[in-house]
Amino acid sequence: MTGTAVRIDGNTLRLPGGVAVRFVRTLRLPESGTHPLPPGLGEFPVRRIADPANNADTVPEEWRARGGVMLPVYLREAMWLSFAGTTEPAALQVGVGKVCAVSGKPFGDRLSRDPQNYLALPRQPWLDGINSGKGTVRQFVAVPLGLGATVEGQVTGEEVWGGVQLRSFPLREDLLAEWREEQRALERARRAGERTRGYGGPPGAPAMAAPGAAPAPGARSSAAMGLGVGGSMRQEVYRDDRPLTHWSEEPSGRVFVHLVTPPQWRHITGEAPPPSPVDRAAYTRAGLPWYDYYDQDAEDLAPADALESVKPVGDWLGDDHEPWQAPSPAQVTQLKDAPGLPVEDGEW
């Protein structure tokens, strides 16, 4: 991919430099205990904010000003970000309400290593939540703005942005040329050895359908939803093994991802939203798989101080009454050891 435009390919966001990001629906974990990686239940549909097919009168002015894309998500629904299909090395920053999901620091426009404020792709295959360190993350869970339950509200004391923010940095041009040369001999073997975390097979395959403190006054904006945290799972956020100087100083692309309620989605796009999330106990009773992933050659990042104290959304929304049935050991699978119109960027 060339140029600086972000594009939608199916439900995949493609950022300049070969970065691919999918937003995957999943089972919401209990807020106590530490769990295996939950499965993928299909991709969230993604649409451009500036799509001519939208009902422009129903798109809030703030959304139009920020540009980007939107996806529909239910209250307390969980998601994870898949980077399968990323074709070249990249440093990807992930913000939740403009709080870095890796470091807990403000979502800045420069890469940092102390603390690390980005993911090193393609080594990092996915991200299920905020970095809680010691080999765990806290699951991304959608909550409305205005309660103070989002990561943004708890870390900054206000809820202004909501949504998810992505910014990608490529390797320096000279190092990227060297990397491409090295990969030519390895490409066939690498493709043959790829593993995926069952939500639809290799990149390009169809996704599995899913079965039927308080903010400051006036801080709430027209952004519909933000991300809080749910249960803890076993997942490492890897320390980058490249020197910081290997990455470009300037990002190659960025995009603002708005999280909207299903009624808003229907009102704006005229499309039916996905069905409500699957019952997690029924999923486990059916004997379907959960996942565990371990890379013995990678080093996990230390806990992010600002993110360690983030409380789960149940503290605001009440107890989780959905039944929980832990998967049996046999259900846990061990993993490892055409472009459309450009997405318009805006002010954020």
Side-chain angles (χ1 to χ4, degrees), residues 24-40 78-81 124 126-141 197 228-237 290-293 300 324 327 332:
V24 185
R25 309 182 76 196
T26 191
L27 300 176
R28 182 166 47 85
L29 298 173
E31 293 177 356
S32 60
T34 301
H35 308 276
L37 299 176
M79 70 166 64
W80 52 275
L81 279 59
Q124 190 78 40
W126 44 63
L127 184 69
D128 288 59
I130 64 170
N131 172 31
S132 51
K134 300 178 182 177
T136 65
V137 299
R138 300 286 299 281
Q139 188 174 39
F140 291 135
V141 178
R197 181 175 156 198
V229 302
S232 177
M233 72 191 77
R234 293 185 290 274
Q235 182 179 97
E236 294 176 320
V237 179
W290 294 69
Y291 299 89
D292 197 10
Y293 184 93
D300 186 32
W324 166 246
V332 180

Side-chain angles (χ1 to χ4, degrees), residues 234-254:
R234 293 185 290 274
Q235 182 179 97
E236 294 176 320
V237 179
Y238 296 134
R239 184 178 301 279
D240 187 12
D241 56 8
R242 298 177 187 271
L244 191 63
T245 54
H246 281 200
W247 301 108
S248 170
E249 293 185 0
E250 299 294 331
S252 58
R254 67 173 200 162

Side-chain angles (χ1 to χ4, degrees), residues 46-126:
V46 179
R47 301 291 181 268
R48 297 164 59 245
I49 286 291
D51 197 315
N54 289 343
N55 180 354
D57 293 338
T58 65
V59 180
E61 180 62 34
E62 287 186 11
W63 298 10
R64 291 196 295 268
R66 294 169 186 170
V69 300
M70 60 182 172
L71 61 84
V73 61
Y74 288 84
L75 174 67
R76 293 180 76 163
E77 185 173 10
M79 70 166 64
W80 52 275
L81 279 59
S82 169
F83 311 123
T86 295
T87 57
E88 296 184 332
L92 180 69
Q93 293 180 319
V94 179
V96 288
K98 295 189 70 172
V99 172
C100 177
V102 177
S103 69
K105 302 294 185 181
F107 191 69
D109 58 1
R110 291 289 184 270
L111 298 180
S112 168
R113 288 291 288 273
D114 187 21
Q116 183 174 313
N117 66 352
Y118 61 92
L119 305 172
L121 306 187
R123 161 153 271 178
Q124 190 78 40
W126 44 63

